[in-house]
């Protein structure tokens, strides 16, 4: 048989045996009733921020609709009012920082309904940076509490801008660079350099890894190769201290306009599970699988109000 | 029912035969007796009874009066004394009108032997030997052995079996036991004489499981024209898996790994060829196929949901026969015949796909290089009428290879590399059949089963993600003995036991050659009695014990199996059964192409055995000689059920290093109603099966701990198959299958993510699902059409053309489903890939 005839026959047979088709189905979820979504983290480090929105993306508004006319109350464990949150904008409500080790309740009144949640701020711990180089760091946690804490580790990259100026007759005279400052100082030795540093309100989470078998990342190996968070439950060092080695790409060298911050959170268990499920959901959806359930703690509404004790260390080059 | 109550219930049922055979213990038998001596002749003890004032009536000639007896237990009453002393004597104890009668049992004479096919000497499994007047029936066992005991006299025995000309045999049972091998003539060429399953069922009350009609199965249309017995099994009610075109079986809500599949009693760990589209069972090799999805015989264990017991042909003892077949995918040849006429024979069959022979390189470049081959060899030797030896062997392999092109650069000069995926089974069994006495048959089997799977990437160093080779293997060394003891006409005892040594090796992770190795020991024993209770009822009560040792952990399980059947009249049978099953080896396999990352994990310290309990009720109606109707209802509970943990993905290499971290335990419930109907005419066979079922699972670590439909939940499963003979040469067939669509998980809604609120620049939205498997894809259906043209020549040779259309009309199940969310339109986009389309086929077979 001629080679081309063979190939034609082969192609035909392969076509016959392996032929397959695809079917597409679109399920419209915009018709499902929209539910209130309450999102926020409550910690001792930052002012409280709660965002209210509703589920189901609104193509008309280009985002999830913000909820602006709700009342949010923070209560202690005995239901005593601590404060009412203040509405800022874009569905954001703010309040005071949390106190370590306290149990709190949240009540959101919206459209005549009250939605409640409760969380606990874990006890305090100390975070130390033992080692750091261009591609790894070793963080130490000292947690003397006997509670079973659940930790997350992340490194945030925060872009910032520096405006350089000096004052002359009360007026800000802008200088474009440090080099320009240096040159000016030669001419005007009494000049007092000043800088305004403005951080972008948004950050990006850099990909980090670990080889520590105690972490959920290594233990279950499902958060894909590079994850934004490392999850660690502290059964192995309860009431003591431990270290965790974290690897990253050589990104910390570029600190000119980016601040890298190691953020370690000791979280309420419900919050820990929520964060882990969120990361797993994101990882699996990349592979076309949308089967990771997420459970928050807002009764009759969606979202999470997560209690955490947070420690941050700015990483230097 | 609590565990304690279950044990009492079981003990009650298993002891029913004892109760039924016990005599009425009334006042005379309860008369106290005092024994100065505990050892003496039977005559001495009978005298002791008479000294209590009880009047005994017996014939001394029927009792061995001078036989020495030692009393073992504590004897308080006359009844206990007589029971103990006369235990070995053939007498019944009965109280009648103020005296105790010791009645001699009639002497039974046994006729036994092997039932074989005339002309080939092949043994016939499941043939019925019936004595019509006493309604005594015996069925030939898995090696053709039958044994029936009758009182002295002359009888006319009927021997029947599907597809064979019935035999009527007169026997004169006067002196001693008779050894008589029976030869049955195949009725395939004589349709008017064919004994259908329906008529046979009337004479066999206790049909356990399903005996697959291989002849009819071979006529059905099939994928690429290649016949496959598993596809015939998929047509039984309660069995799903057919709609995607693969040979997976999901039996009564069970997973694909919960089926015990054996070939000549060798356990098989992967039955797939060709992306799961064929099983490894060469249709030309098969002698009999039995399938159980409830009423499990006590001899089987190790899987929760079904038993598929396949026996291969022994080889013709009289003449040489062979065949050659070529189809779209593979060619096969077979030869069988005598080595020493009527003493030893062989059967050899081989299959090989042939597409790769046309252009391996072109196929590799296209990523489509695939081949498989398998060889079946069986030898058997009849040493003497009571001893027969067999050797069965199977060797199979599959390979898939593809070439990957690389762009050479400064660090890499290599232009391409090839990856090869291989898998295959090696099976061998040595078997010794021995007829120990006319009533006792023993089968001893030594087996070895190995399944190996490897992935050889041969990738250049620059792509260092994978090791050069990863592989998994499972080895199973086993020895077992099974006994069939035909104790009395109304009581048959099956018992036996065995030991299996398993060795498992599989990759610990995807990215290194590190392996996990586990050795286990599985030991089991069983006993089962089959008792006829009166003229209408039959009880089968058995107990299967299985022990399993893995490392320092040992599990012991007792698994009762009970089946009670009651014949309402000649044509109607009611059956109730309870089976408990345990599974110690759990498989997590990738559908279709097997991959080494699939793993088989034995129970051990962290993983308990899976347990199922199945209650089954059935009603069978034989409507005339040509049709049968069955309705069954079942309820199945599964505990310690294992599932992959959230996110665990063995196909793509995302799985935990420790086995126990990959899996989550839970429980499952399956319940359903099954209907089947078979209509058999000489020219047309029509069968229909429908299952309505519901299967749910609940795992603490999945779906937030809430119950959800399991993947193997198919609410409706319906199929119709028809074979028609239009004349001597032409046969047409059609198969229609309908199944509820598969479950997938899709989001109900999406919302802003927490990360977005916290300030993350690139935070994907969060989606919310109401539960796992919350969406059912559109129903699957398909129509297959087939045509067989058969021509038989005068010299006995045969030529068969098979043509057909697989999936002539179809919406088959897809092998891959991807989902994603389109935020701009707020739609969930579901893409079902790899749905097989219309596939025409032809095969040509020549038999000689």
């Amino acid at each position: 048989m001629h080679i081309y005839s063979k190939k034609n026959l082969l192609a035909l047979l392969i076509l016959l045996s392996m032929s397959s088709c695809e079917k597409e189905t679109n399920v419209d979820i915009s018709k499902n009733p929209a539910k209130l979504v309450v999102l926020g983290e409550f910690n001792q480090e930052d002012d409280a921020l709660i965002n209210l929105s509703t589920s189901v993306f609104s193509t008309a508004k280009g985002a999830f609709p913000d909820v602006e006319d709700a009342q949010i109350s923070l209560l202690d464990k005995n239901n005593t009012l601590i404060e009412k949150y203040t509405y800022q904008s874009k569905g954001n409500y703010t309040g005071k920082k949390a106190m370590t080790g306290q149990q709190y309740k949240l009540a959101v009144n919206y459209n005549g309904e009250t939605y409640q949640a409760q969380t606990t701020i874990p006890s305090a711990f100390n975070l130390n940076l033992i080692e750091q180089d261009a591609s790894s760091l070793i963080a130490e946690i000292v947690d003397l509490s006997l509670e079973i804490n659940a930790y997350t580790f992340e490194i945030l990259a925060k872009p910032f801008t520096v405006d350089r100026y000096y004052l002359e007759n009360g007026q800000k005279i802008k200088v474009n660079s440090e080099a320009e400052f240096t040159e000016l100082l030669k001419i005007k030795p009494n000049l007092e350099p000043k800088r305004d540093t403005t951080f972008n309100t948004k950050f990006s989470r850099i990909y980090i890894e670990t080889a520590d078998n105690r972490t959920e990342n290594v233990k279950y190996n499902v958060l894909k190769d590079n994850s934004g968070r490392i999850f660690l439950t502290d059964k192995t060092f309860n009431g003591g201290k431990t270290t965790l080695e974290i690897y990253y790409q050589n990104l910390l060298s570029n600190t000119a306009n980016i601040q890298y911050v190691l953020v370690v959170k000791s979280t309420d268990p419900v919050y820990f599970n929520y964060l882990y499920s969120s990361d797993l959901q994101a990882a699996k959806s990349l592979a076309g699988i949308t089967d990771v359930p997420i459970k928050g703690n807002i009764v009759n509404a969606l979202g999470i109000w997560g209690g955490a004790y947070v420690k941050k260390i700015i990483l230097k080059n | 029912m609590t565990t304690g109550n279950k044990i009492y219930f079981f003990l009650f049922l298993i002891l029913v035969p004892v109760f039924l055979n016990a005599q009425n213990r009334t006042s005379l038998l309860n008369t106290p007796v005092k024994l100065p001596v505990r050892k003496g002749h039977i005559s001495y003890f009978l005298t002791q009874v008479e000294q209590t004032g009880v009047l005994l009536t017996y014939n001394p000639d029927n009792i061995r009066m001078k036989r020495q007896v030692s009393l073992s237990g504590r004897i308080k009453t006359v009844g206990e004394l007589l029971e103990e002393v006369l235990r070995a004597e053939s007498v019944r104890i009965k109280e009648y009108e103020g005296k105790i009668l010791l009645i001699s049992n009639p002497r039974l004479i046994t006729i036994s032997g092997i039932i074989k096919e005339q002309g080939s000497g092949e043994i016939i499994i499941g043939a019925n030997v019936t004595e019509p007047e006493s309604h005594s029936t015996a069925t030939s066992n898995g090696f053709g052995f039958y044994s029936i005991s009758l009182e002295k006299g002359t009888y006319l025995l009927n021997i029947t079996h599907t597809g064979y000309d019935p035999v009527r045999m007169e026997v004169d049972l006067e002196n001693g036991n008779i050894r008589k091998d029976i030869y049955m003539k195949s009725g395939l060429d004589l349709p008017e004489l064919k004994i259908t399953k329906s008529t046979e069922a009337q004479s066999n009350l206790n049909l356990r499981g399903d005996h697959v009609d291989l002849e009819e199965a071979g006529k059905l249309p099939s994928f690429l024209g290649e016949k496959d017995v598993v596809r015939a099994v998929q047509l039984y009610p309660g069995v799903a898996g057919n709609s995607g075109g693969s040979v997976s079986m999901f039996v009564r809500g069970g997973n694909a790994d919960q089926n015990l599949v054996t070939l000549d009693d060798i356990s098989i760990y992967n039955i797939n060829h060709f992306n799961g589209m064929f099983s490894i069972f060469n249709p030309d090799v098969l002698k009999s196929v039995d399938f159980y999805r409830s009423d499990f015989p006590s001899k089987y264990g190790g899987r929760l949901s079904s038993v598929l017991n396949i026996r291969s042909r022994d080889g013709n003892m009289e003449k040489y026969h062979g065949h050659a077949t070529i189809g779209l995918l593979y060619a096969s040849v077979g030869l069988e015949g005598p080595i020493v006429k009527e003493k030893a024979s062989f059967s050899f069959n081989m299959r090989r796909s042939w597409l790769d022979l046309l252009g391996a390189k072109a196929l590799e470049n296209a990523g489509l290089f695939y081949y498989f081959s398998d060889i079946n060899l069986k030898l058997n030797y009849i040493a003497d009428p009571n001893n027969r030896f067999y050797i069965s062997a199977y060797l199979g392999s599959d390979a898939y290879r593809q070439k990957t092109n690389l762009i050479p650069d400064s660090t890499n000069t290599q232009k391409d590399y090839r990856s090869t995926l291989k898998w295959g089974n090696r099976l061998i069994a040595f078997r010794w059949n021995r007829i120990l006495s006319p009533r006792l048959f023993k089968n001893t089997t030594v087996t070895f089963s190995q399944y190996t799977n490897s992935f050889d990437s041969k990738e250049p160093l620059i792509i260092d993600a994978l090791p050069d080779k990863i592989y998994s293997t499972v080895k199973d060394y086993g020895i077992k003995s099974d006994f069939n003891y035909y104790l009395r006409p109304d009581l048959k005892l099956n018992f036996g036991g065995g030991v299996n040594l398993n060795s498992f090796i599989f990759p610990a992770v995807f990215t290194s050659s590190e392996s996990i190795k586990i050795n286990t020991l599985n030991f089991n024993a069983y006993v089962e009695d089959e008792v006829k209770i009166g003229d209408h009822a039959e009880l089968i009560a058995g107990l299967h014990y299985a022990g399993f040792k893995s490392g320092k952990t040992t599990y012991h399980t007792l698994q009762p199996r009970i089946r009670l059947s009651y014949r309402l009249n000649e044509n109607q049978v009611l059956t109730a059964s309870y089976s408990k099953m345990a599974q110690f080896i759990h498989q997590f396999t990738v559908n279709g192409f097997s991959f080494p990352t699939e793993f088989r994990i034995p129970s051990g310290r962290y993983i308990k055995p899976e347990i199922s309990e199945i209650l089954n009720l059935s009603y069978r109606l034989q409507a005339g000689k040509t049709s049968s109707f069955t309705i069954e209802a079942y309820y199945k509970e599964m505990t310690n059920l294992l599932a992959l943990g959230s996110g665990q993905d063995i196909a793509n290499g995302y799985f935990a290093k420790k086995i126990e971290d990959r899996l989550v335990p839970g429980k499952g419930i399956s319940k359903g109603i099954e209907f089947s109907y078979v209509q058999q005419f000489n020219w047309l066979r029509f069968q229909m099966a429908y299952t309505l079922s519901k299967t749910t699972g609940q795992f603490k670590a999945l779906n937030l701990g809430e119950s959800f439909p399991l993947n193997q939940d198919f609410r409706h499963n319906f199929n119709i198959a028809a074979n028609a003979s239009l004349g001597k040469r032409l046969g047409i067939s059609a198969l229609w299958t309908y199944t509820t669509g598969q479950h997938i998980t899709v989001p109900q809604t999406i919302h802003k993510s927490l990360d977005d609120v916290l300030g993350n620049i690139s935070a994907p939205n969060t989606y919310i699902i109401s539960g796992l498997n919350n969406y059912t894809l559109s129903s699957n259906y398909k129509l297959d059409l087939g045509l067989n043209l058969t021509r038989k020549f005068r010299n006995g040779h045969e030529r068969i053309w098979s043509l057909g259309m697989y999936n002539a009309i179809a919406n088959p199940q897809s092998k891959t489903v991807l989902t994603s969310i389109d935020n701009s339109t707020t739609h969930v986009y579901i893409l079902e890939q790899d749905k097989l389309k219309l596939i025409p086929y032809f095969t040509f077979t020549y038999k000689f």
Side-chain angles (χ1 to χ4, degrees), chain A residues 14 20-25 27 29 32 39 56-57 59 202-203 205 219-222 229 281 288 290-291, chain B residues 368 647-648 655-656 745 748-750 755 758-759 761 767 772 778 819 823-824 826 828-830 832 835:
Chain A
I14 293 297
S20 60
C21 66
E22 295 180 342
K23 184 181 178 186
E24 296 172 11
T25 308
V27 182
I29 57 174
N32 292 336
L39 294 167
V56 184
F57 191 87
T59 48
K202 296 286 184 182
F203 63 83
R205 189 177 288 120
K219 188 177 176 186
Y220 297 110
N221 188 30
V222 293
R229 286 190 187 93
Q281 189 180 87
T290 50
D291 66 355
Chain B
L368 294 171
Q648 298 290 315
F655 50 81
T745 307
Q748 259 66 55
T749 189
I750 52 174
D755 259 359
L758 295 178
I761 294 167
Y767 60 80
L772 290 180
S778 59
T819 55
N823 286 330
S824 62
T826 325
V828 177
Y829 174 69
I830 302 167
E832 297 176 62
K835 291 165 81 80

Side-chain angles (χ1 to χ4, degrees), chain B residues 180-214:
Chain B
K180 177 76 177 170
D181 290 350
I182 299 168
Y183 289 85
M184 301 185 76
K185 188 179 177 185
S186 172
L188 296 180
D189 297 334
L190 306 165
E192 69 278 7
L193 293 176
K194 185 156 52 175
I195 302 302
T196 67
K197 199 168 188 174
S198 305
T199 55
E200 191 180 52
Q202 286 180 335
S203 63
N204 190 351
L205 175 71
N206 225 354
L207 278 178
R208 264 208 287 188
D210 294 293
H211 184 75
V212 180
D213 190 328
L214 294 172

Side-chain angles (χ1 to χ4, degrees), chain B residues 611-770:
Chain B
I611 303 287
S612 74
E613 292 180 276
I614 308 162
L615 279 170
N616 193 77
L617 294 171
S618 79
Y619 165 77
R620 178 178 289 133
L621 168 68
Q622 294 295 139
K625 290 186 177 181
T626 58
S627 61
S628 67
F629 172 77
T630 304
I631 177 170
E632 292 190 66
Y634 73 91
Y635 180 83
K636 180 160 116 181
E637 269 188 15
M638 297 168 276
T639 50
N640 303 330
L641 210 56
L642 291 173
L644 289 172
S646 189
Q648 298 290 315
D649 181 359
I650 58 173
N652 296 308
Y654 291 98
F655 50 81
K657 188 174 179 182
K658 287 184 182 174
I659 299 292
E660 59 268 24
D661 291 333
R662 298 178 191 177
L663 304 172
V664 292
K667 60 185 181 181
I669 291 175
S670 183
K671 50 195 171 186
I673 301 175
E674 300 166 352
F675 304 86
S676 68
Y677 176 74
V678 178
Q679 180 75 50
Q680 175 83 59
F681 300 111
N682 279 339
W683 67 279
L684 173 70
R685 186 177 193 275
F686 169 85
Q687 70 179 71
M688 186 182 81
Y690 170 70
T691 305
L692 173 68
S693 65
K694 183 179 181 183
T695 303
T696 56
Q698 191 169 17
F699 299 78
K700 195 176 175 184
L702 288 179
N703 197 40
L704 307 174
E706 293 177 3
S707 174
F708 62 95
L710 293 177
N711 290 343
Q712 55 270 28
D713 174 52
F714 298 98
R715 190 60 41 86
H716 303 282
N717 187 6
F718 176 64
N719 61 64
I720 300 175
N723 287 328
S725 299
L726 306 176
K728 284 187 178 179
R729 291 186 183 179
L730 178 62
I732 57 171
S733 57
L735 171 62
W736 170 261
T737 302
Y738 172 90
T739 311
T740 301
Q742 66 189 109
H743 298 303
I744 62 166
T745 307
V746 299
Q748 259 66 55
T749 189
I750 52 174
H751 64 72
K752 188 187 286 185
S753 81
L754 175 67
D755 259 359
D756 190 8
V757 174
L758 295 178
N760 194 343
I761 294 167
S762 55
N765 292 329
T766 299
Y767 60 80
I768 299 296
I769 61 173
S770 59

